[in-house]
Amino acid sequence: MRDGLGPVRVRLRGGAVLAELTTRFGAAARAKVLAGEVVDADGAVIDAATVLPAGASVYLYRELPDEVPVPFDIPVLYRDADIVVVDKPHFLATMPRGRHVAQTALVRLRRELGLPELSPAHRLDRLTAGVLLLTARRESRGTYQTLFARGLVRKTYLARAAVDPALTLPRLVRSRIVKRRGHLQAVSEPGVPNAETLIELQDRNGLYRLTPRTGRTHQLRVHMASLGLPIAGDPLYPNVIDVPADDFSTPLRLLAQRIEFDDPRTGRRREFVSRRGLDAV
């Protein structure tokens, strides 16, 4: 781990490592090899003469992209030897992906808390705020990730959207949601449903309680938009809106307000609640 980030693993096609990395990743990768900054699975330094078979792996640290700082704190709601629960702000991705690397909840928390083995047990969309649980130790990681993967965590979200008096609520929305690589939007397609959300109107001002029973990418946003009630501040649904990277003025009005589960290590009932207001950044 280096400043909150682990190395990138590259699986090789086989042959001279310097030539392959240069062909695949350009001059920056070549410079890393020549500077002795690339190692194999045993930690041996790769040099200009190193030849490795197909399927072997090498490790190097990526060059960080220029990122716009996300100007919001990440309050810790709870922390013990196994887990850290935080109140993630809007606009901050859960973990490194694409152009968001250092400005992610995972990397920032590793640095701020001094926990190099910190890892998310689940994910929240970059634009969604609220309760996020991370594991503090490698030994705890699988236990809590499995809890979320098996659907054993009850999640409650709050959202703001328009009100349609003709729409009967509460309503259980079920559909098949697919998110394809390279596409910003997830889409609903014909087929066996893989996403299910209970949608309830809490007040006449357009406050909704959303209870997902599955965890597909953008599920809540897709389901609300499918009812003609896109969540306020959503730049993707129903239409894609280009928002500058440094514009934090219009958050998505979606909050992961609460999670509840039986702790697999202690057997105790756990409940964590966001302290954020839905209408505040």
Side-chain angles (χ1 to χ4, degrees):
M1 196 65 59
R2 180 185 293 176
D3 201 19
L5 277 171
V8 174
R9 176 187 178 188
V10 179
R11 190 179 296 275
L12 300 172
R13 296 163 186 160
V17 178
L18 176 60
E20 179 175 340
L21 293 181
T22 302
T23 299
R24 292 172 62 180
F25 305 110
R30 176 182 176 84
K32 287 184 178 293
V33 172
L34 298 179
E37 296 181 6
V38 182
V39 300
D40 65 15
D42 296 320
V45 174
I46 302 299
D47 61 28
T50 303
V51 174
L52 291 175
S57 296
V58 295
Y59 298 82
L60 65 155
Y61 289 95
R62 74 188 84 183
E63 294 297 324
L64 297 184
D66 291 330
E67 298 181 62
V68 176
V70 178
F72 308 114
D73 294 332
I74 317 174
V76 174
L77 298 173
Y78 175 83
R79 177 180 176 179
D80 64 23
D82 291 308
I83 62 174
V84 176
V85 183
V86 301
D87 216 353
K88 188 184 84 66
H90 298 281
F91 302 106
L92 193 67
T94 296
M95 58 191 299
R97 187 174 184 181
R99 59 184 174 141
H100 305 288
V101 181
Q103 287 299 310
T104 59
L106 177 61
V107 174
R108 281 179 48 174
L109 287 166
R110 280 176 175 171
R111 294 173 176 177
E112 293 171 11
L113 302 180
L115 295 173
E117 294 185 0
L118 196 69
S119 182
H122 63 119
R123 298 185 188 186
L124 292 179
D125 288 347
R126 184 178 69 87
L127 298 183
T128 303
V131 181
L132 176 67
L133 187 147
L134 306 98
T135 58
R137 303 184 300 134
R138 188 184 306 271
E139 295 83 358
S140 306
R141 187 175 303 166
T143 301
Y144 289 95
Q145 287 178 345
T146 299
L147 197 69
F148 281 88
R150 294 177 59 194
L152 299 178
V153 178
R154 177 179 171 83
K155 306 173 189 176
T156 304
Y157 290 73
L158 298 178
R160 285 276 182 206
V163 175
D164 181 357
L167 192 65
T168 301
L169 295 173
R171 174 176 298 206
L172 184 63
V173 179
R174 303 176 72 241
S175 68
R176 181 171 186 79
I177 295 177
V178 177
K179 177 70 166 64
R180 292 185 172 85
R181 183 181 295 274
H183 293 260
L184 294 177
Q185 291 182 322
V187 295
S188 292
E189 295 186 344
V192 178
N194 61 4
E196 189 173 293
T197 306
L198 177 63
I199 298 177
E200 302 170 272
L201 180 62
Q202 296 295 102
D203 66 38
R204 296 178 180 179
N205 295 320
L207 175 65
Y208 291 83
R209 181 169 65 188
L210 312 178
T211 308
R213 297 179 180 175
T214 53
R216 311 303 298 184
T217 299
H218 295 179
Q219 174 178 320
L220 302 181
R221 299 161 70 179
V222 171
H223 279 170
M224 287 293 286
S226 73
L227 297 179
L229 304 173
I231 297 173
D234 197 333
L236 290 184
Y237 303 94
N239 301 309
V240 177
I241 301 171
D242 185 19
V243 180
D246 60 352
D247 184 354
F248 303 107
S249 63
T250 308
L252 175 70
R253 306 299 184 182
L254 179 62
L255 177 70
Q257 190 250 353
R258 179 191 306 264
I259 62 172
E260 303 168 66
F261 59 92
D262 293 326
D263 194 303
R265 287 185 168 266
T266 67
R268 293 171 50 199
R269 186 67 176 174
R270 297 279 203 176
E271 179 179 338
F272 300 106
V273 181
S274 172
R275 298 171 185 164
R276 296 186 179 277
L278 179 62
D279 298 317
V281 177

